[in-house]
């Protein structure tokens, strides 16, 4: 069977324009897919709806209600009759909007107390407010400067429908002609999600542009000895467009973590493009273009494929993360590195043939020639060689030193806090976030913890009594709970403050309750919900509260046949914290297993574990730096371990390959290690620095979750270089002493 790389090289040489045409067709298809890419925020990015927890949350929102939209009115005096009349008109208009279930505000309180009409004078308004329940006034009218309307949407309204409602509300407000001095702000979780999606789109464009500019700078400085030095940047741009296209075609949305994937791809993808470009430039200096194409594709293609596969395996480990946005990050990175590899493999030789590539001429004979061995790169090469020789001669102290640091890092890693609060990931000055915080300060927390009760008959006196007693118990024993609403409290409210003692009496009371109110707490005869309102608290505290309530539900011994399940956004984010903690370990272990299995499959010998050992140290160092910098594990930084495995494996594999090549030529093992590091250390360093340039763009993000990820990834790439150049020689020295003889590298066998 013909080698596929030989077939590709022959096809590129013999049918260049046909290959270019096929590549162009794929590029056009990618552009078509690009138009199908969507932004995604909200619950779907944190929880998989196919899991029991995700299905329960989706059922709760579909059955009992969606997030509310808030309107914040601010003026010198919101009690002014003109302002209140405007609010009343606006609320009436909004009640007619599709998907709007209910609109409530202070004007409804005033109209109920005034026979169904709005008071016409300031004195009447003040009198009614003075007689109203203080806790109700405090929530609806926290001050004379501000009041709030709550727009409740129909249960089960999709995110797209919520965005449509938001747009209609904003349009209605724009044409509503508010009184002079009155401002109306749309807030609430749907508005927050909408603005976050828009900010993510802007952020993605900014980060990609910054990463591309940094790549241009890096390539200009480090790749100046070749013609068309910016070709690798163009190759990466094509790879990115292909990635976007496949995302659109496969239905992979852009989420908060996926935004951070593109600078990562630029940093990794530029390496593949540079390797193909540099190898072709090297070959063309002593051969024809067809020969250079053949050698580049046939010789370099498989080697870069091995490195790319190792990197992709680190990303593939993320597929098993329970958090959808983390799995999407791994999927996008896997698609991206494969796209960048294919783009480099095809574009570089096709471009060279079409442009009739000629290498840059050597320096003119009259130009001053620096003394051999005195250039900066030559001195750096010698320094690396001496360092590698010294390390290989005394491997144990080096390994023990770095192993102790890594062990300390693994220990400190257990103390790194975990954050799953979406509101801490976005810029602090985001208007939608500030509006949400304003509502929390004025109305108190709008967070709730819903508990779904399932029974053969939730209207039975026994079940209703348990629901009421459990609600009272939680309020008395948890200071974070401020109130509870349930079918039991609703029935008591409509039955003169007492619970019915028979099922017949219960049915009579239920029949008197308005349907719009009843459906928020009762679903048929077999399901009901308790809504516990809470104070505003950090997510770690909320997680502890949720776990305590789960224990309380069991301890309170529900009646036989009654099932109690906690759900809601707060429970979801609490669960995400546990998922992050478990998945980061799982992804790291899977990453190691995949890389190790891949190396054993390729090399088929014990020495294949060599490139993995320095990576074990590097992952430990990452934990130490996370702790020392005071950073949290988030859905994005949780991928650090598996991503480091993918990135670092390329460097350690290249060092091992070159060392064994020198051993196969008959060198003594210390000299082989020194030569390998001296010959390839500079290339690995340049490759690492170029990758750092791409990752550095992440630090420019206004999203805290992305900026912190950028900081640790830049440091992690630095650790990867240290692991390859310093630790790897020590590992190779021990491995040689253990095996006792040199091995023929995979490339030489081929």
């Amino acid at each position: 069977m013909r080698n596929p790389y030989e077939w590709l090289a022959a096809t590129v040489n013999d049918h260049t324009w046909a290959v270019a045409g096929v590549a162009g067709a794929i590029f056009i298809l990618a552009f078509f897919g690009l138009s199908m890419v969507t932004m995604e925020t909200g619950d779907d990015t944190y929880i998989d709806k196919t899991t029991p927890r995700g299905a329960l949350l989706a059922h709760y929102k579909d059955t009992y209600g969606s997030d509310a939209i808030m309107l914040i009115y601010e003026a010198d005096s919101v009690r002014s009759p003109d302002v209140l009349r405007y609010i009343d008109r606006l609320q009436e208009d909004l009640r007619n909007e599709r998907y709007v279930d209910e609109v409530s505000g202070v004007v409804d309180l005033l109209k109920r107390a005034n026979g169904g009409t709005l008071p016409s004078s300031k004195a009447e308004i003040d009198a009614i407010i003075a007689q109203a329940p203080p806790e109700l006034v405090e929530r609806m009218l926290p001050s004379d400067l501000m009041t709030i309307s709550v727009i409740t949407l129909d249960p089960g309204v999709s995110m797209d429908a919520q965005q449509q409602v938001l747009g209609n509300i904003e349009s209605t407000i724009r044409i509503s002609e508010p009184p002079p001095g009155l401002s109306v702000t749309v807030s609430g979780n749907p508005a927050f999600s909408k603005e976050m999606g828009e900010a993510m789109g802007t952020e993605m464009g900014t980060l990609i542009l910054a990463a591309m500019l940094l790549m241009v700078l890096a390539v200009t400085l480090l790749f100046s000895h070749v013609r068309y030095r910016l070709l690798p940047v163009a190759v990466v741009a094509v790879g990115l467009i292909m990635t976007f296209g496949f995302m659109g075609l496969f239905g992979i949305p852009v989420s908060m973590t996926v935004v951070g994937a593109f600078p990562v791809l630029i940093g990794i993808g530029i390496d593949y493009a540079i390797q193909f470009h540099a190898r072709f430039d090297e070959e063309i200096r002593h051969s024809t273009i067809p020969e250079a194409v053949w050698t580049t594709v046939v010789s370099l293609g498989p080697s870069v494929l091995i490195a790319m596969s190792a990197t992709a395996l680190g990303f593939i480990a993320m597929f098993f993360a329970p958090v959808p946005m983390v799995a999407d990050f791994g999927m996008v990175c896997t698609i991206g590195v494969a796209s960048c590899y294919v783009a480099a493999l095809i574009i570089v030789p096709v471009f060279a043939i079409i442009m009739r590539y000629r290498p840059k001429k050597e320096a003119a004979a009259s130009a001053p020639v620096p003394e051999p061995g005195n250039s900066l790169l030559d001195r750096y090469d010698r320094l690396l060689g001496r360092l590698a020789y010294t390390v290989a001669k005394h491997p144990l102290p080096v390994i023990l030193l770095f192993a102790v640091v890594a062990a300390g890092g693994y220990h400190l890693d257990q103390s790194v806090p975990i954050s799953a609060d979406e509101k801490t990931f976005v810029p602090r000055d985001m208007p939608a976030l500030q509006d949400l915080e304003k509502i929390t300060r004025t109305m108190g927390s709008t967070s709730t913890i819903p508990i779904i009760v399932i029974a053969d008959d939730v209207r039975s006196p026994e079940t209703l009594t348990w629901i009421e007693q459990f609600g009272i118990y939680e309020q008395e024993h948890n200071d974070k709970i401020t109130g509870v609403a349930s079918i039991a409290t609703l029935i008591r409210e409509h039955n003169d403050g007492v619970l019915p003692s028979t099922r017949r009496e219960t049915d009579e009371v239920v029949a008197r309750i308005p349907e719009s109110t009843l459906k928020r707490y009762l679903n048929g005869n077999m399901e009901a919900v308790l809504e516990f309102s809470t104070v505003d608290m950090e997510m770690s505290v909320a997680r502890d509260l949720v776990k305590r309530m789960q224990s309380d539900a069991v301890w309170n011994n529900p009646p036989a046949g009654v099932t109690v399940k906690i759900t809601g956004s707060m429970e979801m984010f609490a669960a995400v914290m546990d998922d992050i903690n478990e998945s980061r370990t799982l992804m790291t272990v899977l990453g190691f297993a995949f890389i190790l299995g891949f190396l054993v499959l390729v090399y088929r010998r014990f020495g294949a574990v060599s490139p993995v050992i320095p990576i074990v140290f590097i992952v430990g160092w990452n934990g130490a730096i996370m702790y020392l910098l005071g950073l949290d594990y988030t859905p994005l930084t949780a991928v650090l371990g598996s991503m480091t495995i993918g990135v670092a494996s390329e460097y350690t594999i290249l060092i091992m390959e070159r060392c064994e090549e020198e051993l196969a030529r008959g060198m003594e093992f210390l000299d082989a290690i020194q030569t390998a590091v001296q010959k390839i250390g500079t290339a690995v360093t340049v490759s690492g620095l170029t990758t750092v340039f791409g990752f550095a763009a992440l630090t420019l993000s206004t999203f805290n979750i992305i900026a912190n990820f950028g900081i640790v990834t830049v440091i992690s790439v630095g650790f990867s270089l240290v692991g390859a150049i310093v630790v790897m020689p020590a590992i190779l020295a021990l491995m040689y002493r253990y095996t006792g003889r040199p091995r023929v590298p995979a490339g030489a066998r081929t």
Side-chain angles (χ1 to χ4, degrees), residues 243-371:
T243 304
F244 273 114
F246 288 125
M247 285 178 63
L249 294 172
F250 296 153
I252 304 172
V254 175
S255 63
M256 196 184 308
T257 58
V258 172
V259 168
F262 298 107
V264 171
L265 291 178
I266 293 172
I268 296 174
I270 197 74
D271 183 38
Y272 305 149
I274 285 177
Q275 289 192 49
F276 278 103
H277 191 178
R279 180 60 180 267
F280 182 85
D281 188 82
E282 176 186 341
E283 296 297 331
I284 195 65
R285 293 179 184 276
H286 53 76
S287 61
T288 64
I289 289 181
E291 291 171 343
V293 167
W294 179 275
T295 304
T296 301
V297 173
V298 173
S299 299
L300 188 61
S303 301
V304 179
L305 177 64
I306 291 175
M308 187 274 293
S309 300
T311 301
L313 286 171
F315 293 130
I316 289 173
M318 301 175 196
F319 291 8
F320 299 90
V323 182
M325 66 167 71
V326 175
D328 287 345
F329 179 90
M331 195 173 300
V332 169
C333 287
T334 303
I335 293 172
V337 294
S339 297
C340 290
Y341 169 76
V342 172
L345 180 65
I346 301 298
I347 293 175
V348 170
V350 168
F351 178 87
I353 293 174
I354 292 176
M355 299 301 294
R356 298 181 181 177
Y357 189 101
R358 291 173 292 109
K360 276 189 173 182
K361 294 181 179 180
E362 302 292 344
S366 58
V369 179
E371 284 186 40

Side-chain angles (χ1 to χ4, degrees), residues 192-208:
F192 174 77
S193 296
K194 179 183 179 183
E195 185 167 333
M196 185 169 67
E198 294 170 349
M200 279 165 40
T202 303
E203 189 80 6
M204 183 170 61
T206 301
L207 291 181
I208 291 176

Side-chain angles (χ1 to χ4, degrees), residues 456-526:
D456 292 336
D457 184 8
V458 293
R459 300 192 195 187
S460 69
E462 184 183 16
T463 304
L464 288 176
T465 300
W466 184 87
I467 290 174
E468 181 182 49
Q469 290 176 348
F470 180 66
I472 294 172
Y473 177 88
E474 289 301 312
Q475 288 186 88
E476 292 177 347
H477 290 80
N478 289 320
D479 59 356
K480 300 293 187 297
I481 294 177
T482 59
V484 62
S486 68
I487 185 61
T489 61
L490 201 60
I491 290 174
R492 181 182 286 278
E493 180 184 335
H494 286 78
N495 195 44
D496 299 326
V498 296
L499 278 180
S501 57
T502 66
R503 172 60 194 271
R504 180 178 177 181
E505 292 176 359
T506 299
D507 291 343
E508 291 174 354
V509 176
V510 168
R512 297 197 297 267
I513 302 174
E515 181 65 25
S516 60
T517 304
L518 185 66
K519 67 182 182 181
R520 295 197 172 276
Y521 302 100
L522 185 66
N523 179 29
N525 292 327
M526 300 179 64

Side-chain angles (χ1 to χ4, degrees), residues 78-314:
V78 291
R79 299 190 189 190
S80 162
D82 289 342
V83 170
L84 293 174
R85 279 194 293 271
Y86 166 79
I87 295 175
D88 189 34
R89 289 196 309 272
L90 181 61
Q91 289 191 170
E92 286 299 326
D93 291 339
L94 296 179
R95 286 190 178 99
N96 297 322
E97 287 290 339
R98 188 182 180 189
Y99 303 121
V100 171
D101 179 54
E102 183 183 358
V103 183
S104 60
V106 70
V107 292
D108 300 289
L109 171 67
L110 296 171
K111 289 167 73 174
R112 281 197 302 269
N114 196 49
T117 61
L118 198 63
S120 58
S121 68
K122 183 76 160 42
E124 292 177 291
I125 294 169
D126 291 341
I128 294 174
I129 291 174
Q131 296 174 2
E135 64 276 5
L136 191 60
V137 173
E138 186 177 350
R139 289 178 65 85
M140 289 186 172
L141 194 67
S143 74
D144 193 41
L145 302 176
M146 184 176 72
T147 186
I148 296 172
S149 290
V150 180
I151 303 171
T152 306
L153 303 180
D154 292 332
V157 175
S158 66
M159 185 62 68
D160 290 340
Q162 289 185 26
Q163 302 304 314
Q164 179 183 336
V165 173
L166 277 171
N168 294 341
I169 290 173
E170 291 167 350
S171 299
T172 302
I173 292 172
R174 278 196 298 270
I175 63 175
S176 62
E177 298 181 356
L182 176 67
S183 66
V184 186
T185 304
V186 182
S187 186
N189 286 328
F192 174 77
S193 296
K194 179 183 179 183
E195 185 167 333
M196 185 169 67
E198 294 170 349
M200 279 165 40
T202 303
E203 189 80 6
M204 183 170 61
T206 301
L207 291 181
I208 291 176
L209 178 61
M212 293 300 285
L213 290 176
L214 287 172
M215 284 299 99
V216 169
L217 176 62
V219 171
T220 301
L221 294 176
L222 303 174
F223 207 47
S224 59
H225 62 284
V226 302
R227 192 177 296 278
Y228 308 114
R229 69 177 78 173
L230 296 182
L231 176 60
V233 178
V235 170
V236 170
V238 172
L240 275 186
I241 292 174
M242 290 173 62
T243 304
F244 273 114
F246 288 125
M247 285 178 63
L249 294 172
F250 296 153
I252 304 172
V254 175
S255 63
M256 196 184 308
T257 58
V258 172
V259 168
F262 298 107
V264 171
L265 291 178
I266 293 172
I268 296 174
I270 197 74
D271 183 38
Y272 305 149
I274 285 177
Q275 289 192 49
F276 278 103
H277 191 178
R279 180 60 180 267
F280 182 85
D281 188 82
E282 176 186 341
E283 296 297 331
I284 195 65
R285 293 179 184 276
H286 53 76
S287 61
T288 64
I289 289 181
E291 291 171 343
V293 167
W294 179 275
T295 304
T296 301
V297 173
V298 173
S299 299
L300 188 61
S303 301
V304 179
L305 177 64
I306 291 175
M308 187 274 293
S309 300
T311 301
L313 286 171

